Amino acid sequence: MSGTKFFVVARVTGRDNALPLWKERIVSLCAVSATEKLGDTYYWGSSLEGDPDTICGLEGYTHAVGFFIGHFETDTFKEQGALIDSDELLKHEQGLDSRDYDLHHYDLVGGFLKRDNDPDRDAKDSIIAVYHFWSTTEETRPEILDKLLSFVNSYRSGELDAAVQSAIVLKEIRFPTMATLWVRVRTLDTHAAFEKSEAFAKLIDEVKPLVSKTDKYKAGAFNGHLDLKYPTA
């Protein structure tokens, strides 16, 4: 299917000691996601920001209906959702309307999720890093997106460190001042080197005059798949 891909970036705040049960639920959902023809990415991990019962995920679809109808309407999603509620895995209140679900919905601007020459391209235990930027005005967001895209394209071409396994730029659909950079690397040491690199420092300096607020976090992946390719015949 052609057209702009749709992504969801999620951060879900869990109650204390919920992570083992979250992993059970997410592994089941990852398995069913891999069979959905409108979805090709379902990649989840636990926070590395001192709140390990918070989980962080990336979901990718060839059409938004794959998320809003397809995934939510599967029997597995309904079953696992009911178990999430009955086990009270969320911190403050249960249910899909809980404030513990921090979801952002995006059009893909560009970047890459996997490299053919990466021997660990399908690793399920990489480090996820998420960088949110809010532009000072709606008019300045395109400039931020352009700078983010130029940055990830430098990695895609091999001009910069090939240790970056994934780097995509996302344009929030509901919030016209928000842009997100989603990055995947192999280890915490690799992530630290990425953040200390001249290229990343240059990017942050370039976007700083254009942003009113930023947020970032990292997580350790525990299950999922990225950019699945379905047979066309």
Side-chain angles (χ1 to χ4, degrees), residues 1-2 18 63 109 196 201 213 227:
M1 179 177 290
S2 60
H63 193 284
V109 176
K196 291 176 182 176
K213 182 175 69 168
D227 203 21

Side-chain angles (χ1 to χ4, degrees), residues 144-157:
I144 293 172
L145 291 169
D146 285 346
K147 291 182 183 301
L148 293 176
L149 186 59
S150 177
F151 174 73
V152 302
N153 282 342
S154 295
Y155 283 91
R156 186 174 198 169
S157 68

Side-chain angles (χ1 to χ4, degrees), residues 108-178:
L108 175 67
V109 176
F112 59 97
L113 284 171
K114 290 196 288 191
R115 301 173 184 273
D116 290 340
N117 64 350
D118 176 7
D120 297 313
R121 59 188 172 274
D122 294 310
K124 298 181 179 182
D125 57 351
S126 295
I127 302 300
I128 302 161
V130 180
Y131 303 89
H132 293 313
F133 303 89
W134 286 265
S135 60
T136 53
T137 67
E138 292 182 30
E139 290 72 24
T140 56
R141 181 171 74 166
E143 189 174 352
I144 293 172
L145 291 169
D146 285 346
K147 291 182 183 301
L148 293 176
L149 186 59
S150 177
F151 174 73
V152 302
N153 282 342
S154 295
Y155 283 91
R156 186 174 198 169
S157 68
E159 177 185 338
L160 295 177
D161 189 357
V164 174
Q165 296 181 286
S166 306
I168 58 173
V169 179
L170 301 166
K171 179 175 68 175
E172 228 286 355
I173 296 168
R174 297 175 304 153
F175 300 99
T177 62
M178 188 177 183

Side-chain angles (χ1 to χ4, degrees), residues 176-196:
T177 62
M178 188 177 183
T180 293
L181 171 65
W182 192 91
V183 174
R184 180 176 63 117
V185 295
R186 196 70 194 96
T187 67
L188 282 170
D189 286 344
T190 310
H191 175 254
F194 169 79
E195 287 207 330
K196 291 176 182 176

Side-chain angles (χ1 to χ4, degrees), residues 48-60:
L48 296 172
E49 303 295 330
D51 51 346
D53 297 297
T54 290
I55 59 171
C56 309
L58 177 77
E59 299 181 22

